[in-house]
Every structure is written in structure tokens, then in C-alpha cells.
Amino acid sequence: MRAEPVPLSQAPARVAVLVSGGGTNLQALLDALGSTAPARVVLVVSNRAEAGALERARRAGVPTQILRHPADAAELLAALEGDGADLVVLAGYLKRVPPAVVARFRHRMINIHPALLPACGGPGMYGRRVHEAVLASGATTSGATVHYVDEEYDRGPIIAQRSVPVLPGDTPETLAARVLAVEHALLPMVVVELARRGIPDQPVRLP
Ligand code: GRF
């Protein structure tokens, strides 16, 4: 998916991505944000030096930073403001964002979650556990949610969602793969649309 060219008068939005894992959502973002896109990944930050997402960033020539103390607002703020981030994207980031950072980036920090929030979200709900909970609930649909980050896990205003069917015989792994495929389309779409609108201060809800 290629975004529309950005007007010459408007510099691309500077996007910082927080990661903890393999980084397939980061990769989808890097692949979607071509040279004419209205947004550009300028920094990848992780709480884990061994995160595979960092290698994806390096391959793309994007600067990386490892957080020594993820609960330390000053360290994270220095990284984000130092790079002039306009938008912060949590893509598989597993640590709670310190409240001072949430406040500084209110409605400029988003997260992608592999379920249709508010269902199957909150503390401890990440990875396989999310899909186990969906299957245990008997839901016939699941999907992905992009929402604003606030002081609690997975609770901020929803920006956009895409659903997928839960199929008979699904395992957490087969459901996760189906959801991940829509995540990889949803996250870049939301980032591009927010950037096109100049990263509004007020919450946006996309169809
Ligand atoms: C994704 O399922 C995302 O929804 C969740 O963590 C996973 C990250 O996967 N927040 P990856 O590291 O982007 O591959």
C-alpha cells in the first residue's frame, strides 16, 4: 500500500516506534512509508536489546535506542523529544508508558492490539493469551484495534478496527496469524491518515 505524495510544503510527520518483539508491525510500517509518504519512521526504541525489531530498523537505516529503565519517563522523553517525534507508535511494546510521557504525547501516541477492544485487552493481555481469551469467549469474530495510548493498558480512545472471522478449529496460532495479517494493513493506514491530517490534537475515529 503506497501513500499519496506529501505536499512539498509539508514535511513528513516524524514517527518514533516502540518495540519489544520481532517487529512485523514495524516492518509493515517501514514497507508502507515510501519516500513520498506523509510520515517517516525516524527512531525505533526498545526495552530489549535482543528484540528482532531492532535488526529490522538497522536494515532500514533507522536509528535505534535501547531503554535502560523503561519506567523512567525522563529517559524515554529524552529519546522521543530528542528526535522531534510528532507521533509515537507502540508496535508490540510490552511495557507500560510512564504517565508523564502519556501526558506529553496525549493523542500523539498510538498502540496496536490484536483483538477488538474493549474485548480481550488490559494488563497481561498480549501475544498468545489474547487469542486464547478470544477463543475461550466463544466469539465468532476477532480482529485488530489501533487506539490512543493513555495511562492504562489498551484503554485509550479507539481510532480504527478491522475484524476477521474466528473459524471452527482455530487455535491461538491460526487466529493470531489471521489477525496479524490485518494488523499489517491497519497500522500503516492509520499512521498515514493521522499524518495527512497533521496529527490532530483531538482524538480521530477512522472508518
Ligand atoms: C502484535 O500482535 C501486536 O498487535 C501486539 O504485539 C504483536 C507485535 O508483533 N501489540 P510484532 O513484534 O509487530 O511482530
Side-chain angles (χ1 to χ4, degrees):
M1 178 193 81
R2 287 286 175 194
E4 299 300 314
V6 63
L8 288 180
S9 60
Q10 184 183 343
R14 296 173 63 80
V15 179
V17 184
L18 306 190
V19 297
S20 299
T24 63
N25 274 290
L26 167 67
Q27 191 65 57
L29 210 44
L30 292 169
D31 293 346
L33 299 180
S35 58
T36 61
R40 187 158 44 91
V41 177
V42 297
L43 177 67
V44 174
V45 179
S46 184
N47 60 304
R48 296 179 57 239
E50 62 279 18
L54 293 171
E55 186 47 38
R56 295 179 187 271
R58 293 182 192 115
R59 277 205 299 269
V62 176
T64 61
Q65 183 165 335
I66 313 294
L67 293 175
R68 286 168 306 125
H69 306 291
D72 175 2
E75 185 184 14
L76 182 51
L77 275 174
L80 298 176
E81 293 182 321
D83 239 300
D86 300 308
L87 178 69
V88 182
V89 177
L90 275 58
Y93 187 67
L94 296 180
K95 292 293 187 183
R96 187 196 300 270
V97 177
V101 183
V102 172
R104 166 69 185 73
F105 284 91
R106 181 83 56 192
H107 303 142
R108 309 174 75 80
M109 180 179 284
I110 66 175
N111 178 51
I112 184 156
H113 183 76
L116 295 177
L117 294 175
C120 301
M125 289 304 278
Y126 58 86
R128 193 175 201 276
R129 295 180 191 171
V130 176
H131 307 294
E132 285 172 343
V134 169
L135 293 174
S137 74
T140 55
T141 60
S142 189
T145 301
V146 178
H147 64 95
Y148 290 102
V149 172
D150 69 8
E151 289 73 5
E152 297 302 327
Y153 286 109
D154 306 327
R155 193 195 61 179
I158 290 172
I159 302 172
Q161 296 187 303
R162 287 293 180 274
S163 62
V164 298
V166 177
L167 300 176
D170 259 334
T171 64
E173 288 69 27
T174 58
L175 180 54
R178 194 172 308 122
V179 172
L180 199 58
V182 296
E183 291 180 50
H184 293 164
L186 182 62
L187 183 60
M189 184 278 283
V190 169
V191 169
V192 165
E193 195 48 41
L194 289 178
R196 259 207 219 106
R197 299 179 186 208
I199 320 287
D201 286 335
Q202 293 309 310
V204 168
R205 181 73 190 247
L206 300 174

PDB file of all heavy atoms in Angstrom, residues 21-26 91-92 111-114 180 183, ligand 1:
ATOM      1  N   GLY A  21       9.411  -6.897  20.499  1.00  0.00           N
ATOM      2  CA  GLY A  21       9.477  -8.249  19.933  1.00  0.00           C
ATOM      3  C   GLY A  21      10.057  -8.302  18.535  1.00  0.00           C
ATOM      4  O   GLY A  21      10.965  -7.548  18.206  1.00  0.00           O
ATOM      5  N   GLY A  22       9.457  -9.153  17.704  1.00  0.00           N
ATOM      6  CA  GLY A  22      10.016  -9.450  16.380  1.00  0.00           C
ATOM      7  C   GLY A  22       9.875  -8.321  15.378  1.00  0.00           C
ATOM      8  O   GLY A  22      10.644  -8.212  14.430  1.00  0.00           O
ATOM      9  N   GLY A  23       8.863  -7.455  15.564  1.00  0.00           N
ATOM     10  CA  GLY A  23       8.775  -6.258  14.734  1.00  0.00           C
ATOM     11  C   GLY A  23       8.097  -6.404  13.389  1.00  0.00           C
ATOM     12  O   GLY A  23       8.391  -5.643  12.460  1.00  0.00           O
ATOM     13  N   THR A  24       7.157  -7.341  13.218  1.00  0.00           N
ATOM     14  CA  THR A  24       6.486  -7.447  11.907  1.00  0.00           C
ATOM     15  C   THR A  24       5.592  -6.236  11.667  1.00  0.00           C
ATOM     16  O   THR A  24       5.428  -5.805  10.530  1.00  0.00           O
ATOM     17  CB  THR A  24       5.636  -8.735  11.789  1.00  0.00           C
ATOM     18  OG1 THR A  24       4.579  -8.725  12.742  1.00  0.00           O
ATOM     19  CG2 THR A  24       6.512  -9.975  11.956  1.00  0.00           C
ATOM     20  N   ASN A  25       5.043  -5.631  12.741  1.00  0.00           N
ATOM     21  CA  ASN A  25       4.256  -4.401  12.545  1.00  0.00           C
ATOM     22  C   ASN A  25       5.167  -3.237  12.176  1.00  0.00           C
ATOM     23  O   ASN A  25       4.825  -2.413  11.336  1.00  0.00           O
ATOM     24  CB  ASN A  25       3.458  -4.076  13.809  1.00  0.00           C
ATOM     25  CG  ASN A  25       2.124  -4.803  13.820  1.00  0.00           C
ATOM     26  OD1 ASN A  25       1.236  -4.492  13.043  1.00  0.00           O
ATOM     27  ND2 ASN A  25       2.018  -5.798  14.670  1.00  0.00           N
ATOM     28  N   LEU A  26       6.333  -3.184  12.794  1.00  0.00           N
ATOM     29  CA  LEU A  26       7.319  -2.164  12.397  1.00  0.00           C
ATOM     30  C   LEU A  26       7.673  -2.351  10.929  1.00  0.00           C
ATOM     31  O   LEU A  26       7.715  -1.382  10.164  1.00  0.00           O
ATOM     32  CB  LEU A  26       8.578  -2.278  13.252  1.00  0.00           C
ATOM     33  CG  LEU A  26       9.792  -1.487  12.752  1.00  0.00           C
ATOM     34  CD1 LEU A  26       9.533   0.015  12.840  1.00  0.00           C
ATOM     35  CD2 LEU A  26      11.048  -1.877  13.517  1.00  0.00           C
ATOM     36  N   ALA A  91       4.334  -0.752  18.824  1.00  0.00           N
ATOM     37  CA  ALA A  91       4.118  -1.884  17.915  1.00  0.00           C
ATOM     38  C   ALA A  91       4.722  -3.122  18.568  1.00  0.00           C
ATOM     39  O   ALA A  91       5.873  -3.480  18.322  1.00  0.00           O
ATOM     40  CB  ALA A  91       4.768  -1.593  16.572  1.00  0.00           C
ATOM     41  N   GLY A  92       3.933  -3.741  19.454  1.00  0.00           N
ATOM     42  CA  GLY A  92       4.449  -4.898  20.180  1.00  0.00           C
ATOM     43  C   GLY A  92       5.303  -4.476  21.357  1.00  0.00           C
ATOM     44  O   GLY A  92       6.208  -5.180  21.767  1.00  0.00           O
ATOM     45  N   ASN A 111      -1.289   2.689  19.820  1.00  0.00           N
ATOM     46  CA  ASN A 111      -0.911   1.303  20.046  1.00  0.00           C
ATOM     47  C   ASN A 111      -1.757   0.402  19.157  1.00  0.00           C
ATOM     48  O   ASN A 111      -2.910   0.718  18.856  1.00  0.00           O
ATOM     49  CB  ASN A 111      -1.164   0.928  21.530  1.00  0.00           C
ATOM     50  CG  ASN A 111      -0.840  -0.534  21.830  1.00  0.00           C
ATOM     51  OD1 ASN A 111       0.231  -1.019  21.499  1.00  0.00           O
ATOM     52  ND2 ASN A 111      -1.798  -1.232  22.439  1.00  0.00           N
ATOM     53  N   ILE A 112      -1.185  -0.713  18.737  1.00  0.00           N
ATOM     54  CA  ILE A 112      -1.976  -1.703  18.005  1.00  0.00           C
ATOM     55  C   ILE A 112      -2.126  -2.937  18.886  1.00  0.00           C
ATOM     56  O   ILE A 112      -1.162  -3.390  19.503  1.00  0.00           O
ATOM     57  CB  ILE A 112      -1.371  -2.063  16.636  1.00  0.00           C
ATOM     58  CG1 ILE A 112      -2.311  -3.034  15.905  1.00  0.00           C
ATOM     59  CG2 ILE A 112       0.058  -2.603  16.721  1.00  0.00           C
ATOM     60  CD1 ILE A 112      -2.170  -3.017  14.408  1.00  0.00           C
ATOM     61  N   HIS A 113      -3.392  -3.414  18.970  1.00  0.00           N
ATOM     62  CA  HIS A 113      -3.701  -4.549  19.840  1.00  0.00           C
ATOM     63  C   HIS A 113      -4.388  -5.622  18.998  1.00  0.00           C
ATOM     64  O   HIS A 113      -5.274  -5.286  18.177  1.00  0.00           O
ATOM     65  CB  HIS A 113      -4.613  -4.086  20.983  1.00  0.00           C
ATOM     66  CG  HIS A 113      -4.936  -5.173  21.964  1.00  0.00           C
ATOM     67  ND1 HIS A 113      -4.026  -5.602  22.914  1.00  0.00           N
ATOM     68  CD2 HIS A 113      -6.051  -5.910  22.123  1.00  0.00           C
ATOM     69  CE1 HIS A 113      -4.596  -6.582  23.615  1.00  0.00           C
ATOM     70  NE2 HIS A 113      -5.814  -6.780  23.166  1.00  0.00           N
ATOM     71  N   PRO A 114      -4.027  -6.891  19.197  1.00  0.00           N
ATOM     72  CA  PRO A 114      -4.557  -7.948  18.327  1.00  0.00           C
ATOM     73  C   PRO A 114      -5.910  -8.506  18.762  1.00  0.00           C
ATOM     74  O   PRO A 114      -6.116  -9.729  18.770  1.00  0.00           O
ATOM     75  CB  PRO A 114      -3.468  -9.021  18.420  1.00  0.00           C
ATOM     76  CG  PRO A 114      -2.940  -8.878  19.811  1.00  0.00           C
ATOM     77  CD  PRO A 114      -3.014  -7.403  20.128  1.00  0.00           C
ATOM     78  N   LEU A 180      -2.873 -10.950  12.606  1.00  0.00           N
ATOM     79  CA  LEU A 180      -1.628 -10.230  12.284  1.00  0.00           C
ATOM     80  C   LEU A 180      -1.666  -9.685  10.851  1.00  0.00           C
ATOM     81  O   LEU A 180      -1.181  -8.587  10.580  1.00  0.00           O
ATOM     82  CB  LEU A 180      -0.425 -11.147  12.487  1.00  0.00           C
ATOM     83  CG  LEU A 180       0.956 -10.494  12.634  1.00  0.00           C
ATOM     84  CD1 LEU A 180       1.000  -9.511  13.795  1.00  0.00           C
ATOM     85  CD2 LEU A 180       2.031 -11.562  12.802  1.00  0.00           C
ATOM     86  N   GLU A 183      -3.513  -6.552  10.959  1.00  0.00           N
ATOM     87  CA  GLU A 183      -2.724  -5.537  11.680  1.00  0.00           C
ATOM     88  C   GLU A 183      -1.773  -4.844  10.719  1.00  0.00           C
ATOM     89  O   GLU A 183      -1.601  -3.613  10.755  1.00  0.00           O
ATOM     90  CB  GLU A 183      -1.899  -6.196  12.786  1.00  0.00           C
ATOM     91  CG  GLU A 183      -2.676  -6.753  13.946  1.00  0.00           C
ATOM     92  CD  GLU A 183      -1.747  -7.367  14.970  1.00  0.00           C
ATOM     93  OE1 GLU A 183      -0.779  -6.702  15.368  1.00  0.00           O
ATOM     94  OE2 GLU A 183      -2.000  -8.510  15.372  1.00  0.00           O
TER      95      GLU A 183
HETATM   96  C1  GRF B   1       1.201  -7.788  17.530  1.00  0.00           C
HETATM   97  O1  GRF B   1       0.252  -8.841  17.541  1.00  0.00           O
HETATM   98  C2  GRF B   1       0.586  -6.556  18.121  1.00  0.00           C
HETATM   99  O2  GRF B   1      -0.798  -6.448  17.894  1.00  0.00           O
HETATM  100  C3  GRF B   1       0.836  -6.731  19.583  1.00  0.00           C
HETATM  101  O3  GRF B   1       2.100  -7.359  19.679  1.00  0.00           O
HETATM  102  C4  GRF B   1       2.364  -8.053  18.467  1.00  0.00           C
HETATM  103  C5  GRF B   1       3.636  -7.487  17.919  1.00  0.00           C
HETATM  104  O4  GRF B   1       4.084  -8.265  16.909  1.00  0.00           O
HETATM  105  N1  GRF B   1       0.831  -5.469  20.274  1.00  0.00           N
HETATM  106  P1  GRF B   1       5.358  -7.742  16.074  1.00  0.00           P
HETATM  107  O5  GRF B   1       6.509  -7.568  17.059  1.00  0.00           O
HETATM  108  O6  GRF B   1       4.971  -6.431  15.437  1.00  0.00           O
HETATM  109  O7  GRF B   1       5.589  -8.823  15.081  1.00  0.00           O
END
